Amino acid sequence: MQIKKNRLIARLDIKGENLIKGINLEGLRVIGSPNEYAKKYYNQGADELIFLDTVASLYGRNHLGKIIKSAAQDIFIPITVGGGIRSLEDALNVLRVGADKIAINTAAVNRPELISEISNTLGSQSVVLSVEAKKIKDNKWEVYIENGRESSGVDVMEWIKRGEIYGAGEILLTSIDRDGTGRGFDLDLIKLATESVSIPVIASGGIGTIQDIYKAITHANTDAIAMAYALHYDKTTFNEIRKKLNSYKINVRNFNNDE
């Protein structure tokens, strides 16, 4: 039996033509060119890239076509794209410019059947259910939509279970409370999520140190880590992360060696 490798993913939040980052999904600051950073992380050894159009749901469609088309010419790892995808046709358009997977959040909460429509056509491996979670009390989190701006009233654990039934292939789980803080993951959130579904869970929101990644993998059993703040502000690099995790006997891909 093949032992799973924990994936290390760079997350790039985009507004207009800029890579941005905020705290708790607010107070967004411009970081730089998304393509330059995408190429940098690819060269460092990222396993995947996630591009999220943070304002797409406001305008009703994804605006990353030009950025993704450019990135896909130089980057040969899986690319996930989310934001403003409201129909199967929207998903197909994003795939045509070079994406490998589709991430959906707001539209899926509003109409869960969209998950099945995309999954049945493209395969579940192409569908990532993006979930923005805000803690409301102990062991209870609520799904937020519109890039963390609006409460949906939906319970996170119930929603990810439904998402798996509808055909999502994996979950991108972002803690709004920890996003951009560097205070570490919400391990309770991640652990409960990984215990609630059988599909992979990508943990996002809160990385400050490599130890945070180690805890998410060992204590919360996450399948993958999506990083933004720690990478954008040079708190660490993929090379440093891989070396440290290897020293902890964590199973991650050796850069330039997929065996």
Side-chain angles (χ1 to χ4, degrees):
M1 185 178 72
Q2 187 176 12
I3 300 173
K4 76 174 183 180
K5 283 186 169 65
N6 297 98
R7 291 171 290 148
L8 303 175
I9 302 170
R11 170 175 172 156
L12 300 104
D13 294 318
I14 314 295
K15 182 178 181 181
E17 296 183 353
N18 295 311
L19 174 66
I20 53 93
K21 189 72 194 94
I23 298 176
N24 310 131
L25 298 184
E26 296 179 338
L28 305 178
R29 293 178 54 190
V30 173
I31 302 296
S33 161
N35 285 116
E36 288 180 9
Y37 277 81
K39 198 175 296 185
K40 171 184 172 182
Y41 300 145
Y42 170 63
N43 290 331
Q44 281 185 4
D47 291 315
E48 299 182 21
L49 300 177
I50 297 175
F51 289 84
L52 297 176
D53 187 334
T54 62
V55 294
S57 57
L58 293 176
Y59 301 112
R61 66 186 183 91
N62 190 285
H63 292 263
L64 298 182
K66 184 178 177 181
I67 291 171
I68 301 305
K69 190 171 184 178
S70 176
Q73 293 175 353
D74 302 307
I75 291 170
F76 305 101
I77 53 176
I79 295 174
T80 298
V81 176
I85 297 170
R86 299 186 175 187
S87 66
L88 174 60
E89 186 58 34
D90 288 341
L92 291 170
N93 286 338
V94 172
L95 291 184
R96 288 186 189 112
V97 296
D100 300 280
K101 304 178 190 179
I102 304 301
I104 48 176
N105 174 12
T106 302
V109 173
N110 292 335
R111 192 171 70 85
E113 294 79 14
L114 177 62
I115 304 170
S116 299
E117 291 168 9
I118 299 175
S119 179
N120 291 339
T121 303
L122 303 175
S124 62
Q125 78 286 344
S126 297
V127 184
V128 178
L129 182 61
S130 179
V131 179
E132 292 161 353
K134 189 171 183 61
K135 191 170 187 176
I136 55 176
K137 62 182 179 180
D138 285 349
N139 290 320
K140 192 168 182 65
W141 295 263
E142 193 171 295
V143 175
Y144 271 61
I145 58 175
E146 306 289 355
N147 197 49
R149 287 182 289 269
E150 291 187 21
S151 167
S152 70
V154 176
D155 177 77
V156 167
M157 298 309 151
E158 291 179 5
W159 175 231
I160 63 174
K161 290 175 188 175
R162 288 177 63 200
E164 180 177 17
I165 293 170
Y166 274 106
E170 56 188 331
I171 307 292
L172 171 61
L173 182 59
T174 302
S175 166
I176 295 175
D177 305 294
R178 300 298 181 96
D179 175 73
T181 65
R183 294 193 295 114
F185 286 108
D186 185 337
L187 295 177
D188 292 335
L189 168 66
I190 301 166
K191 190 172 191 300
L192 195 55
T194 60
E195 292 172 348
S196 297
V197 295
S198 60
I199 55 178
V201 173
I202 305 167
S204 177
I207 295 173
T209 67
I210 298 174
Q211 194 69 20
D212 295 330
I213 299 172
Y214 174 77
K215 289 178 182 177
I217 293 172
T218 57
H219 300 344
N221 200 33
T222 189
D223 298 87
I225 303 289
M227 295 166 267
Y229 165 86
L231 295 174
H232 301 341
Y233 290 104
D234 296 319
K235 303 294 182 183
T236 188
T237 68
F238 281 104
N239 296 328
E240 292 172 351
I241 295 167
R242 289 187 189 284
K243 287 178 183 176
K244 195 68 172 177
L245 292 180
N246 279 325
S247 75
Y248 291 145
K249 308 300 182 186
I250 299 296
N251 192 25
V252 292
R253 178 175 67 92
N254 291 322
F255 186 36
N256 290 333
N257 180 9
D258 290 329
E259 296 302 321

